[in-house]
Amino acid sequence: MTVRNLTILGSTGSIGVSTLDVIRQHSDKYRVIALCGHHQIDRLFDQCLEFKPDYAVVRDEVLAKQIAGRLLAAGSATRVEHGPDALVRMASLPEVDTVMAAIVGAAGLPPTFAAAIAGKKILLANKEALVMAGPVFMRAVRENAAVLLPIDSEHNAIFQSLPFDYTGNLEKSGISGILLTASGGPFRSRALADLANVTPEQACAHPNWVMGQKISVDSATMMNKGLEVIEAHWLFNVPADKIQVVIHPQSVIHSLVQYVDGSVIAELGNPDMRTPIAHALAYPDRISAGVEPLNIFDIATLNFERPDFERFPCLGLAYRALREAGNSPATMNAANEVAVQAFLERKIPFTAISAIIAKVMNVLPPKTADSLDEILAADSLAREVASGLITELQADE
Ligand code: NAD
Ligand code: MG
C-alpha cells in the first residue's frame, strides 16, 4: 500500500480527533500534510507536535501568530496559515491525495468543493456541504474524477451494503430501497409538552454517540436525519420516496439496503466513528480501527420504530427542501445553523428551531442554483432572515 498524504479539515473536532486516532495506529500508511483547526489552538498545537504536518491552519491572524510562536519555540517546522482561503489551498495542495472533510456546517463547503475540483479522494463527514450544494458538488466530483467516500455512519453502512460495482442505478442493481437508521436522539420519548423547556445540555447528551455540539442538537431535533436523507439522495442517487427513516435506538445497525429478491443487507458495529473513518481511509483495503468488536450476545435486542413527524418537524422540512430542490436545501441548512446556534446560546427555546427554519423557507421561495456562488448567496440570505426572526422573537419575550 502506498503512503497516503492527507489534509484534515476540522482536525480539532470530534471527527478530526477520531481520524487522527486511526492514523496514529497506522503511521506507516498515512502522512498528515495539513491540519486545519479554527480556534482551539491548544489542541491544534499538540496535534502539530505529534503528527508534524507541513501546514497548520487557524481562524485568524492573531491566533496564527500565537500558535506559530509556540510551534517555533518547540522546534516545529510546521508553517501556519489562517482564514478561509488557506483552507481552500490546503484542500487542493498537489502533494495531498486525500482530504478528510470534517469541518462542521456551511464553512466546510468551499474547501470541500475545492477538494472535488482538485480531484482528491474526499472522506466526507461534513454533510452540510453536500446538502447545500448537492447537484453542483456531485458534478464537480464527476467532472474532476474525485472519489467521494462517506464517513457519516449511516452512509458508510449503505456504501458497504451496496454492490461493489454500484453505479447509481437502483434498478440495474436490483435495489428496492434504503432504510436509514436513526437513534431518535435524547428526546425520542420525552413528553411533547416538555420539549419547549429542554436545555442545550440535555439536547447535547446523546444516548449513543459523542459528537460536536451542532450535530448533537441536530440529532435531538432529528434535522440530522433530515440532512442525511438529502445526503443519501445525492451520494447514491436514490429518490426520496425510496429512503425510509427507521428509529433504531441501539444504533447497532447503521443502515440497510433492501433488494428486490427480499434480501436486506446491513452493516452493524459498535457506535464508534473510527469504524467508518478506518473503512474510508483504507478503502478498498481494510485496517484495524481500535474499535471494540461487537458483542451481539450483550446487545441481545434490537428495536425499530417509525419516526414521528409531529415530534420532529425538522424531518418533514428536510423532505420538503429535497422536493423543492434548487437552493432550498441551502436555505434550510443555513436557517438551521443559525437557529441551533441561537438555541445553544439560550436565545430561543428548542421548539423554536423548527419554527424558524419553516418561516425562513416560507419567506424565501426556492430558486435554481447551478453554481457555488448561487448556493453561497442563498446561504447568506437565509442567515440574515433567520437572524432577523430570532431578534424579533427575543424582542417579543
Ligand atoms: P465538532 O464541532 O466537534 O468539530 C468541528 C470542526 O470544525 C472543528 O475542528 C472546528 O475547529 C472546525 N470548524 C468549525 N467552524 C469552522 C469554521 N468556520 N472554519 C473552519 N473550521 C471550523 O464537529 P464534529 O462532530 O466533528 O462534526 C464535524 C462534521 O462531521 C459535521 O458536519 C457533522 O455533521 C459530521 N459528522 C459528525 C459525526 C460525529 O460523530 N461527530 C458523525 C457523522 C457526521
Ligand atoms: Mg449519521
Side-chain angles (χ1 to χ4, degrees):
M1 187 175 166
T2 49
V3 174
R4 311 218 53 126
N5 290 325
L6 281 114
T7 281
I8 303 181
L9 302 167
S11 72
T12 51
S14 165
I15 294 288
V17 167
S18 294
T19 303
L20 289 172
D21 188 66
V22 176
I23 290 174
R24 181 182 289 125
Q25 300 168 53
H26 302 281
S27 50
D28 54 327
K29 298 187 179 73
Y30 304 98
R31 194 172 123 55
V32 179
I33 304 290
L35 287 176
C36 307
H38 195 50
H39 65 279
Q40 298 180 72
I41 61 167
D42 290 340
R43 182 173 279 175
L44 187 64
F45 174 76
D46 292 343
Q47 291 180 344
C48 286
L49 291 193
E50 180 179 355
F51 293 94
K52 305 184 171 48
D54 296 341
Y55 305 93
V57 177
V58 291
R59 182 182 58 201
D60 55 42
E61 201 174 349
V62 175
L63 292 178
K65 278 195 178 137
Q66 277 178 30
I67 191 171
R70 286 172 63 186
L71 284 169
L72 199 64
S76 160
T78 298
R79 270 185 50 184
V80 180
E81 302 201 8
H82 63 89
D85 292 348
L87 298 173
V88 167
R89 274 197 301 282
M90 296 301 121
S92 341
L93 286 172
E95 63 269 41
V96 162
D97 49 70
T98 306
V99 175
M100 165 54 84
I103 291 175
V104 60
L109 176 57
T112 308
F113 189 77
I117 297 288
K120 306 298 189 198
K121 175 176 170 178
I122 303 170
L123 315 188
L124 185 78
N126 182 202
K127 66 191 87 187
E128 295 92 345
L130 186 54
V131 166
M132 293 169 71
V136 176
F137 190 87
M138 293 308 285
R139 192 173 63 221
V141 167
R142 259 190 328 270
E143 286 178 355
N144 299 286
V147 175
L148 193 55
L149 294 172
I151 294 296
D152 219 341
S153 57
E154 296 77 4
H155 305 75
N156 186 271
I158 295 164
F159 182 83
Q160 294 198 51
S161 304
L162 286 169
F164 200 70
D165 59 357
Y166 180 68
T167 54
N169 187 330
L170 289 187
E171 221 163 275
K172 188 161 154 256
S173 296
I175 293 163
S176 49
I178 301 281
L179 294 171
L180 189 69
T181 56
S183 69
F187 304 141
R188 180 174 57 90
S189 46
R190 184 174 289 248
L192 271 183
D194 285 358
L195 287 183
N197 302 316
V198 296
T199 64
E201 290 74 19
Q202 289 167 328
C204 288
H206 195 277
N208 306 330
W209 303 90
V210 181
M211 310 181 288
Q213 280 193 319
K214 191 260 176 182
I215 184 177
S216 296
V217 177
D218 283 351
S219 298
T221 60
M222 279 194 80
M223 176 53 92
N224 183 49
K225 211 49 53 180
L227 297 175
E228 290 186 0
V229 167
I230 302 176
E231 184 185 13
H233 168 77
W234 292 117
L235 281 174
F236 308 119
N237 196 30
V238 188
D241 63 357
K242 294 233 155 86
I243 307 172
Q244 167 72 54
V245 173
V246 184
I247 308 268
H248 162 48
Q250 291 88 0
S251 299
V252 166
I253 299 181
H254 298 142
S255 282
L256 315 89
V257 177
Q258 297 183 298
Y259 289 83
V260 288
D261 60 7
S263 301
V264 179
I265 302 187
E267 186 261 352
L268 285 72
N270 282 320
D272 187 322
M273 289 308 292
R274 290 176 301 172
T275 295
I277 290 169
H279 170 266
L281 273 172
Y283 184 80
D285 297 331
R286 294 267 177 181
I287 54 170
S288 62
V291 174
E292 281 287 305
L294 182 69
N295 186 331
I296 50 173
F297 300 105
D298 280 356
I299 291 158
T301 312
L302 298 176
N303 299 94
F304 306 97
E305 297 161 18
R306 287 182 191 282
D308 177 348
F309 282 75
E310 237 174 87
R311 173 180 292 275
F312 299 115
C314 287
L315 202 49
L317 291 172
Y319 275 101
R320 170 179 158 191
L322 182 53
R323 232 181 12 253
E324 288 178 352
N327 63 7
S328 183
T331 299
M332 177 197 70
N333 178 71
N336 181 53
E337 286 188 27
V338 173
V340 168
Q341 189 56 39
F343 167 68
L344 285 170
E345 292 168 5
R346 296 171 209 276
K347 291 181 182 159
I348 59 167
F350 181 76
T351 40
I353 298 175
S354 59
I356 286 169
I357 302 166
K359 271 195 192 154
V360 174
M361 289 174 78
N362 293 343
V363 173
L364 299 172
K367 278 201 217 152
T368 55
D370 299 322
S371 67
L372 187 63
D373 287 345
E374 285 169 294
I375 300 286
L376 294 175
D379 175 82
S380 16
L381 187 58
R383 275 171 204 274
E384 222 173 277
V385 175
S387 303
L389 290 172
I390 289 164
T391 312
E392 272 175 35
L393 210 64
Q394 285 181 289
D396 287 349
E397 264 176 17

